[in-house]
Amino acid sequence: MLVSYNWLKDFLNLNEDPKDLGEKITRTGVEIASVVHPAEGLKKLVVGHVIECEDIEGTHLHKCQVDVGEDEPIQIVCGAPNVAAGEDVIVALHGARIAGNEKIKRGKIRGIKSNGMICGLQEIGFADKVVPPKYADGIFVFPKDSDVKPGEDVYEALGMNDYILDFDITPNRADTLSMEGAAYEVGAIVDEKPKVEPVVLKADGPDWTDELDVKVDEKLAPKFYLRKVSNVKISESPLWMQRRLWNAGIRPINNVVDVTNYVMLLTGQPLHAYDARTFKDGKLEVRKANKGEKLTLLNDKEVELDPNDIIITDGEKPVMMAGVMGGKNSEVEDSTTDVILESAIFDGTSVRQSALRHANRTEASSRFEKGVNWDNTQKALDMAALLLRNDAAATVNEGEIKATDVQRNPSVVKTTVSYINKVLGTELTRVEMEKIFDRLGFTVGGSEDELIVTVPNRRWDISIPADLVEEVGRIYGYDNLKSTQPLLAETHGGYSEKETAMRRIKDIVQGQGLMEAISYSLTSPEKAISFTKDPKPVVEVQWPLNSSRSTMRENLITGLVDAASYNMARKQKELALFEQGRVYDHENNSFNEHEHLAALYSGHTLSANWQHLDQKIDFYFVKGQLTNLFRALGIKDADVEYRAEVIGGMHPTRTAGIYIKDQYVGLIGMLAHTVTTLDKALRGSEIYVYEIDLDLITSMLDKGMKAKAAPKFPAIERDLSLLVPNAITNAKIEAQIKLNGGKYLHDIRVIDVYSGSQIESGHKSISYSLTFLNEKDTLTDEVVAKAMEKVEAALKESLKIKVR
């Protein structure tokens, strides 16, 4: 909101430097983005009266004799199409400075002397968007009733001797989107009551209310007032109104449109003016648009209306998009004589959505979407009619139509003096607080510590005690608040038990050579439940940015696959990534969060080297990494079981569920070809992953690992070669060996596996290396031989395995 300092002085006795005032306002919570003096940098710009104007033959130029208040008129050559004798214009004299710090000098144009320049508004610094249409391509001509004299500086007449304060308003302070609102705000800051006068209007025409049948849905427009003025003479607005409009960033159009914009700036209530001929059938209806209806707006933009748009119709076709912009078919034209004025409150949410939907945000829509003062609906309507009587010779017809008239009561907020002082850290008395509320225009009731504050409708942002705390704090002055330590209970630093476990797990995984990745928690509905054994009801976002970010993830693998795709598209094929984060579900109508860990591997176990050791990553390598993680966490190998599973997004024969003590904790395996072939970057790659539920794992952790000295006595190794049926797993064999190997069995390793034509069909040959160790004494061959005999006997008897 661009606020004129000179206009503010109509409400307040201001003597402060505008820039100092801007600083004060900023310190109270409403930021002043800039304070601009339009005349700054300009020099020697005066009013000139064109005495003579003659065309220069063969050119578009005119030779003018211009009275600039000197003894003799000066000659100026001007190329503007609208220059003519008898006009009062802007003249830049010899030595003048205009916009862009450009200097004007005497010279010759086509051999004819020119002692200055006749200017358009753009040439002295006005933005194109505020220049009246009739002067957009030529010079500016002062209206006949502007009371300017040749030789006078133009700055006052054009409003350039003003200071413009740019109120950078946050949505909650839309009350300052009007001059009255700004005056109340500034008045509270400088401790002065603004002079806001009521409007008294007496009609001088016949009653018109029987001419129009009006239907309005109260939900769409809780307040909808209409008034009619007749015998309007369309012309330019007086100069005082034009300069207030362009200083506020609004282009003057004509005396009817300008009045509606001026009243909006003054009161914050948007208005609209219809040519009364629009409703020749005597009907007006406010409703939602029908599918397929179209409307050409005042800016010549044709829009196809949405069924959620609020529109005003003539009983059949749309004539306005409510709260946004009027239609071309109801526009006030030069031939208009009768005007119907509308002052209404429309549903702010619908207005905002319509303006956004049709990319047509306006000054009116920005106010409706943030909120307007319900108490100004009547005042704005009466003021507009009064101004049209004064500036457009209009007759104000008797009566008005109030199709809807919902009233809003002032807000009443209860709090206490002690609460406000506690929050602010102040020691203000009740009297001091009452004085602050009085400066704001709030009335205060209650006794002793209790404060019952009645807030006028112009401050619709105040509704809870915390709002009152903010008002007291900013008017008292944030700079006056003492710096104190917050009174909070002592907290001890350090990590919780769960955080400590998470950090421990991440340290182990990083030590295995994996790099941490962080991915989005939001994904698509399809990806959210991929790589999940038992998908649960998903958590959906109500207002997603797009369809690929509409659902909370139920797994971490999805994010790692996206990271792999990004890297592989850039020729980075050797990947070892992990992520520790949360997954989400909506099981049992409850929103649940779970901590997970996932890892992704692709490429080779070792990077390229001179020894050409280029073993590819496979299921068993990743399983070994996971086994080492479990061992480091204190989970016993015997408690972990891998069972073949079919899981969405995973390879059907290279995937296993991970069970610890028969409880499912995650999965391990290779991505399905259907996943990798869909992504060009992943195509042809074998990608292995695992994901585990840390909420379950952390409950199984021990206190950590303990170090011990290296053994002093030598170990003994024995090899064991077995002929094993294919149905028997390595895990079962190792379990039997551990069960019967005795207390000195220290380690078991597979050293060879063979299956082929040289051995019995349906069998495989597995060779093991068994290590025996007595940490307290020298181990003898006799003890080891007895242990081996017991192991072999158990394998033959329980698993029907042949010892080779």
Side-chain angles (χ1 to χ4, degrees):
M1 171 79 178
L2 300 178
V3 174
S4 159
Y5 181 76
N6 287 344
W7 197 353
L8 266 181
K9 290 167 73 173
D10 287 355
F11 301 93
L12 301 162
N13 296 317
L14 295 175
N15 296 311
E16 291 193 59
D17 178 271
K19 293 186 178 180
D20 292 341
L21 179 62
E23 179 65 22
K24 275 188 178 182
I25 298 170
T26 297
R27 286 176 177 271
T28 63
V30 178
E31 182 182 355
I32 302 300
S34 62
V35 179
V36 176
H37 186 45
E40 189 172 3
L42 305 179
K43 189 170 101 174
K44 298 182 76 172
L45 298 178
V46 300
V47 176
H49 181 73
V50 182
I51 301 172
E52 296 178 7
C53 180
E54 59 182 80
D55 297 341
I56 299 175
E57 189 176 350
T59 72
H60 70 288
L61 302 174
H62 311 276
K63 184 171 70 173
C64 305
Q65 301 299 320
V66 185
D67 178 6
V68 292
E70 298 178 0
D71 295 338
E72 298 289 336
I74 63 172
Q75 180 173 289
I76 298 176
V77 176
C78 178
N82 62 329
V83 65
E87 294 177 341
D88 291 322
V89 296
I90 304 167
V91 175
L93 301 173
H94 170 68
R97 295 280 181 179
I98 61 174
N101 199 33
E102 187 175 345
K103 188 174 183 180
I104 302 302
K105 300 179 181 179
R106 295 189 185 98
K108 288 185 178 182
I109 302 176
R110 296 290 182 95
I112 302 173
K113 279 189 176 182
S114 184
N115 296 307
M117 176 181 177
I118 300 177
C119 301
L121 292 175
Q122 301 97 318
E123 291 163 325
I124 62 171
F126 282 67
D128 289 335
K129 69 175 185 177
V130 302
V131 176
K134 66 183 295 185
Y135 303 125
D137 298 319
I139 61 169
F140 177 75
V141 179
F142 287 96
K144 295 296 182 183
D145 59 352
S146 55
D147 194 28
V148 293
K149 296 177 181 179
E152 290 181 345
D153 288 342
V154 300
Y155 311 120
E156 183 176 354
L158 297 176
M160 301 181 76
N161 64 337
D162 202 352
Y163 286 85
I164 310 301
L165 287 72
D166 185 357
F167 277 53
D168 192 2
I169 297 166
T170 52
N172 65 310
R173 289 308 311 273
D175 59 288
T176 56
L177 278 173
S178 69
M179 288 303 303
E180 288 183 358
Y184 278 112
E185 177 68 13
V186 175
I189 293 168
V190 300
D191 195 10
E192 184 183 342
K193 294 286 185 183
K195 298 184 285 290
V196 178
E197 299 178 357
V199 177
V200 179
L201 176 69
K202 291 185 179 180
D204 55 357
D207 190 290
W208 74 285
T209 53
D210 292 337
E211 297 177 12
L212 204 57
D213 179 23
V214 182
K215 294 181 180 179
V216 181
D217 185 340
E218 193 175 90
K219 293 179 181 179
L220 305 180
K223 298 185 84 169
F224 193 83
Y225 297 177
L226 298 172
R227 186 182 282 283
K228 184 178 180 181
V229 294
S230 303
N231 305 318
V232 175
K233 294 180 181 178
I234 306 297
S235 63
E236 281 186 277
S237 295
L239 188 58
W240 69 267
M241 183 178 288
Q242 290 193 54
R243 63 179 173 240
R244 286 192 167 177
L245 289 175
W246 61 49
N247 277 350
I250 294 178
R251 182 200 299 268
I253 304 295
N254 60 48
N255 52 359
V256 175
V257 175
D258 293 353
V259 161
T260 60
N261 285 328
Y262 174 80
V263 173
M264 178 184 69
L265 290 174
L266 181 61
T267 65
Q269 170 66 55
L271 300 175
H272 190 68
Y274 303 91
D275 188 322
R277 293 174 294 187
T278 304
F279 308 104
K280 60 182 182 295
D281 293 334
K283 293 182 179 180
L284 184 152
E285 184 178 4
V286 180
R287 60 170 171 83
K288 289 288 186 75
N290 296 322
K291 188 174 183 179
E293 285 188 301
K294 295 182 178 181
L295 175 65
T296 301
L297 301 174
L298 288 171
N299 57 7
D300 295 319
K301 179 180 180 180
E302 185 181 62
V303 296
E304 183 170 342
L305 297 168
D306 186 273
N308 291 313
D309 293 332
I310 305 174
I311 59 170
I312 286 84
T313 74
D314 62 359
E316 293 184 5
K317 62 180 181 295
V319 298
M320 180 185 181
M321 189 187 300
V324 181
M325 185 177 284
K328 199 79 173 173
N329 55 359
S330 63
E331 181 181 15
V332 173
E333 301 172 330
D334 291 344
S335 61
T336 300
T337 57
D338 294 350
V339 172
I340 293 178
L341 296 171
E342 168 210 287
S343 180
I345 303 293
F346 295 108
D347 177 62
T349 301
S350 295
V351 171
R352 177 185 61 80
Q353 290 173 344
S354 293
L356 181 65
R357 187 181 299 119
H358 300 293
N360 206 73
R361 198 162 183 265
T362 61
E363 291 285 343
S365 69
S366 70
R367 285 166 171 79
F368 280 123
E369 69 185 45
K370 295 181 179 71
V372 294
N373 182 3
W374 284 39
D375 289 349
N376 272 350
T377 311
Q378 182 70 58
K379 178 179 180 179
L381 188 66
D382 291 345
M383 181 175 290
L386 186 61
L387 287 169
L388 287 176
R389 175 191 286 164
N390 295 339
D391 299 333
T395 299
V396 180
N397 290 17
E398 183 69 46
E400 61 183 306
I401 296 175
K402 294 185 177 180
T404 55
D405 192 18
V406 177
Q407 298 300 312
R408 173 179 284 180
N409 295 322
S411 177
V412 177
V413 184
K414 295 181 180 181
T415 187
T416 61
V417 173
S418 56
Y419 170 73
I420 294 175
N421 278 326
K422 178 183 178 182
V423 175
L424 294 177
T426 54
E427 297 177 355
L428 297 172
T429 64
R430 180 187 177 89
V431 173
E432 289 173 317
M433 290 187 188
E434 287 179 344
K435 172 64 176 172
I436 289 173
F437 289 130
D438 182 61
R439 287 166 63 175
L440 290 162
F442 302 173
T443 57
V444 183
S447 59
E448 297 181 356
D449 192 45
E450 183 184 39
L451 292 170
I452 303 174
V453 182
T454 302
V455 183
N457 281 332
R458 62 179 174 79
R459 287 299 304 275
W460 58 90
D461 59 307
I462 307 294
S463 59
I464 59 175
D467 295 330
L468 296 178
V469 174
E470 180 184 3
E471 293 300 300
V472 171
R474 67 189 193 83
I475 299 302
Y476 176 66
Y478 294 132
D479 291 343
N480 296 324
L481 298 179
K482 295 178 181 178
S483 297
T484 58
Q485 293 289 342
L487 299 175
L488 300 172
E490 268 190 40
T491 57
H492 296 283
Y495 298 107
S496 67
E497 185 175 344
K498 184 175 181 180
E499 289 170 332
T500 302
M502 296 295 176
R503 292 172 68 86
R504 178 181 167 194
I505 292 169
K506 286 177 68 173
D507 287 344
I508 295 169
V509 175
Q510 286 172 329
Q512 291 179 325
L514 279 79
M515 182 178 292
E516 185 173 12
I518 299 175
S519 57
Y520 288 115
S521 297
L522 292 170
T523 185
S524 66
E526 298 78 21
K527 289 184 177 181
I529 58 174
S530 295
F531 318 115
T532 307
K533 181 185 177 186
D534 297 312
K536 297 177 174 59
V538 296
V539 180
E540 295 181 320
V541 179
Q542 288 186 342
W543 290 355
L545 292 174
N546 53 56
S547 59
S548 64
R549 295 278 182 259
S550 64
T551 310
M552 303 294 283
R553 65 189 179 189
E554 284 194 18
N555 68 87
L556 299 181
I557 294 175
T558 291
L560 292 179
V561 172
D562 289 342
S565 174
Y566 181 89
N567 281 275
M568 289 186 176
R570 289 154 181 80
K571 308 301 181 184
Q572 300 299 316
K573 303 286 186 179
E574 304 291 325
L575 300 176
L577 306 173
F578 83 94
E579 179 172 6
Q580 183 267 309
R582 292 181 180 179
V583 299
Y584 309 86
D585 64 60
H586 193 203
E587 191 175 24
N588 300 324
N589 289 323
S590 174
F591 293 102
N592 309 301
E593 300 182 12
H594 308 282
E595 294 285 353
H596 277 210
L597 173 74
L600 178 146
Y601 298 82
S602 175
H604 298 82
T605 58
L606 297 173
S607 58
N609 58 84
W610 66 271
Q611 296 169 306
H612 303 291
L613 299 174
D614 56 355
Q615 180 184 351
K616 286 188 175 182
I617 288 172
D618 58 11
F619 179 92
Y620 299 102
F621 174 80
V622 178
K623 178 175 175 286
Q625 294 277 82
L626 190 54
T627 299
N628 289 338
L629 171 62
F630 287 153
R631 287 175 178 172
L633 295 175
I635 298 172
K636 297 178 181 178
D637 290 354
D639 293 335
V640 183
E641 183 181 359
Y642 297 89
R643 300 175 188 172
E645 303 274 7
V646 176
I647 297 173
M650 301 298 293
H651 193 285
T653 61
R654 299 186 189 179
T655 300
I658 305 168
Y659 293 81
I660 300 179
K661 295 181 179 178
D662 287 329
Q663 184 176 16
Y664 179 82
V665 298
L667 64 89
I668 181 173
M670 175 180 157
L671 294 188
H673 293 306
T674 53
V675 174
T676 55
T677 53
L678 285 175
D679 190 319
K680 185 177 179 181
L682 302 178
R683 203 169 295 160
S685 300
E686 288 192 359
I687 298 176
Y688 289 87
V689 296
Y690 69 74
E691 181 163 348
I692 55 177
D693 187 335
L694 295 184
D695 286 345
L696 300 175
I697 297 291
T698 50
S699 63
M700 305 174 183
L701 303 188
D702 62 12
K703 298 299 182 181
M705 299 177 69
K706 293 182 179 179
K708 62 180 181 180
K712 298 178 180 178
F713 302 96
I716 296 176
E717 292 187 0
R718 291 286 187 270
D719 291 342
L720 182 64
S721 185
L722 308 173
L723 185 62
V724 183
N726 286 335
I728 297 176
T729 64
N730 174 66
K732 289 182 178 180
I733 298 171
E734 289 193 357
Q736 282 296 323
I737 294 173
K738 289 177 182 177
L739 185 63
N740 297 280
K743 63 179 180 180
Y744 299 127
L745 179 62
H746 183 70
D747 188 30
I748 308 169
R749 288 184 296 112
V750 176
I751 57 175
D752 184 57
V753 178
Y754 174 78
S755 61
S757 60
Q758 303 300 317
I759 60 174
E760 187 178 336
S761 177
H763 289 66
K764 56 191 172 185
S765 172
I766 305 177
S767 296
Y768 292 90
S769 174
L770 279 59
T771 303
F772 296 87
L773 174 66
N774 183 349
E775 296 182 356
K776 298 180 179 179
D777 201 356
T778 301
L779 193 62
T780 64
D781 286 339
E782 184 180 355
V783 173
V784 174
K786 286 183 180 179
M788 289 296 294
E789 288 175 4
K790 190 175 181 182
V791 167
E792 291 174 5
L795 291 173
K796 291 176 183 178
E797 184 179 344
S798 60
L799 298 179
K800 311 303 179 186
I801 291 174
K802 296 179 181 179
V803 180
R804 303 179 70 189

